[in-house]
């Protein structure tokens, strides 16, 4: 496996970094295309993580539809309702599609207001499927839900809601959602590590930079190991997705590492910053908040461990 980016994706990474720095509100229309391939999407999501600017709809909606040959209008946001109460990333939805309508409840749906369509996992007489729902359809109710980062998220209530059609793509939906979360987390942790590295290299205590103290060096080394492992696990999974290979185990491993290691690593970064890490005029809190949302968005550490054990 060669994870070296080609010239096109290197340019995309540089453009994405500029856009997220200078005009983050224009990121979607500038960077996202309906036919974006997996690795290009993951490059964009990683840079979004570095800027602490989540783009969940990219992995949740655009990639699954593109894989199944379903066209998305240029510039349209498509999100997904992956979770049900007490059942994150459910593979056996209690939400039911029958008689041409859907009934059920979903939680943790990002960017639902203003979305072109919502991908809704449902159960049918033939098994689990994914339905395409217009959020403006009568019978759809969206209730705002709190998040750590402040990004828009909603609970979705469906009462006799007609849907356009269904397709057999729930497994792909979960894989892209997990890979997208891992790519974003890769950027989040890499940038938090860089902020911390610069801080301990320049902040002095007892007349010496913090980085020269053995305990500090050991802690930031642990964060570096967590960051590099997440990066390699994520790109291994994304490479297999892009190549059309069986990627379930690789994605589950990367997601498990995210769920287990991201927040402890972020807490270490906060600890090494001291009080500065809690200052809202300093950017570290944005990365920590997004990290908490990312861990929750994939079901948490225990859920990911159970999924990893089941898939292997």
């Amino acid at each position: 496996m060669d994870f070296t980016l080609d010239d096109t994706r290197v340019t995309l990474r540089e453009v994405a970094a500029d856009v997220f720095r200078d005009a983050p509100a224009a990121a979607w229309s500038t960077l996202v295309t309906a036919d974006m391939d997996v690795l290009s999407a993951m490059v964009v999501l990683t840079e979004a993580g570095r800027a602490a600017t989540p783009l969940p709809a990219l992995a949740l909606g655009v990639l699954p539809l593109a894989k199944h040959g379903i066209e998305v209008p240029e510039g349209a946001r498509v999100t997904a309702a992956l979770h049900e109460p007490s059942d994150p990333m459910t593979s056996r939805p209690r939400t039911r599609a029958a008689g041409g309508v859907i009934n059920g409840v979903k939680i943790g749906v990002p960017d639902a207001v203003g979305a072109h369509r919502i991908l809704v996992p449902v159960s049918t007489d033939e098994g689990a499927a994914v339905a395409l729902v217009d959020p403006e359809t009568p019978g759809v109710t969206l209730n705002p839900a709190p998040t750590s980062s402040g990004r828009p998220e909603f609970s979705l209530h469906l009462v006799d809601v007609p849907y356009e059609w269904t397709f057999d793509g729930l497994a792909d939906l979960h894989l892209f959602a997990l890979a997208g979360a891992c790519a974003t987390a890769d950027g989040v942790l890499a940038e938090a590590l860089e902020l911390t590295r610069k801080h301990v290299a320049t902040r002095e205590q007892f007349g010496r930079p913090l980085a020269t103290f053995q305990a500090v060096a050991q802690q930031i080394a642990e964060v570096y190991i967590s960051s590099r492992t997440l990066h390699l696990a994520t790109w291994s999974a994304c490479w297999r997705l892009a190549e059309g290979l069986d990627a379930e185990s690789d994605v589950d491993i990367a997601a498990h590492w995210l769920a287990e290691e991201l927040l402890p690593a972020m807490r270490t970064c906060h600890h090494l910053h001291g009080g500065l890490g809690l200052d809202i005029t300093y950017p570290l809190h944005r990365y920590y908040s997004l990290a908490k949302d990312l861990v929750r968005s994939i079901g948490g550490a225990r859920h990911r461990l159970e999924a990893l054990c089941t898939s292997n």
Side-chain angles (χ1 to χ4, degrees):
M1 285 179 276
D2 183 2
F3 301 149
T4 304
L5 298 178
D6 59 25
D7 291 343
T8 300
R9 294 191 179 98
V10 168
T11 301
L12 175 61
R13 181 181 63 190
E14 294 170 350
V15 171
D18 290 341
V19 170
F20 286 121
R21 183 186 64 246
D22 300 331
W28 186 270
S29 59
T30 303
L31 300 171
V32 179
T33 60
D35 60 349
M36 178 171 277
D37 64 85
V38 174
L39 291 183
S40 295
M42 297 307 162
V43 167
V44 171
L45 288 169
T46 300
E47 292 306 313
R50 285 184 176 274
T53 306
L55 287 179
L58 176 54
L60 293 180
V62 171
L63 290 179
L65 291 182
K67 178 175 180 179
H68 288 266
I70 301 168
E71 293 186 2
V72 179
E74 195 68 32
R77 295 174 185 256
V78 184
T79 188
L82 300 178
H83 313 297
E84 294 186 346
S86 302
D87 192 4
M89 301 196 77
T90 178
S91 58
R92 298 178 179 177
R94 295 190 297 273
T95 300
R96 177 76 177 164
V101 296
I102 299 176
N103 288 275
V105 177
K106 302 289 186 178
I107 60 173
V109 185
D111 295 330
V113 170
H116 172 67
R117 293 292 184 271
I118 302 175
L119 300 182
V120 181
V122 296
S123 62
T124 69
D125 291 339
E126 291 75 33
V130 180
L132 212 60
V133 173
D134 184 343
E136 299 295 328
T137 302
V140 174
T141 302
L142 294 169
N143 294 321
T147 62
S148 296
S149 63
R151 75 175 189 181
E153 192 170 288
F154 303 85
S155 62
L156 171 66
H157 300 257
L158 304 157
V159 179
D160 292 335
V161 175
Y163 55 93
E164 295 178 358
W165 31 263
T166 63
F167 66 99
D168 182 16
L170 184 54
D172 290 332
L173 183 59
H174 285 171
L175 286 177
F176 283 125
L178 291 171
C182 290
T184 306
D186 180 21
V188 166
L189 187 52
E191 189 62 25
L193 173 62
E194 181 63 13
L195 285 170
T196 308
R197 184 195 65 78
K198 290 179 179 178
H199 176 73
V200 299
T202 56
R203 178 76 171 182
E204 292 191 356
Q205 188 72 27
F206 305 114
R208 297 165 53 193
L210 287 174
T212 63
F213 290 89
Q214 186 178 39
V216 172
Q218 289 172 336
Q219 290 181 73
I220 200 165
E222 290 177 356
V223 177
Y224 173 80
I225 291 169
S226 295
S227 178
R228 290 299 300 166
T229 304
L230 176 60
H231 175 77
L232 293 173
T234 295
W235 281 94
S236 173
C238 293
W239 178 82
R240 293 188 69 86
L241 280 174
E243 293 294 315
L245 302 173
D246 181 6
E248 183 179 1
S249 293
D250 291 71
V251 170
D252 282 337
I253 289 169
H256 170 65
W257 190 262
L258 186 168
E260 285 284 358
E261 299 297 332
L262 180 59
L263 290 182
M266 293 299 300
R267 285 193 288 269
T268 299
C269 290
H270 264 292
H271 173 69
L272 293 176
H273 273 87
L276 179 62
L278 301 177
D279 187 345
I280 62 172
T281 64
Y282 187 78
L284 186 60
H285 71 95
R286 295 168 46 228
Y287 295 92
Y288 191 34
S289 297
L290 180 53
K292 289 194 286 185
D293 282 345
L294 286 169
V295 172
R296 179 175 52 81
S297 75
I298 62 172
R302 180 173 179 177
H303 175 72
R304 295 317 321 164
L305 179 60
E306 291 174 350
L308 180 62
C309 293
T310 301
S311 68
N312 290 276

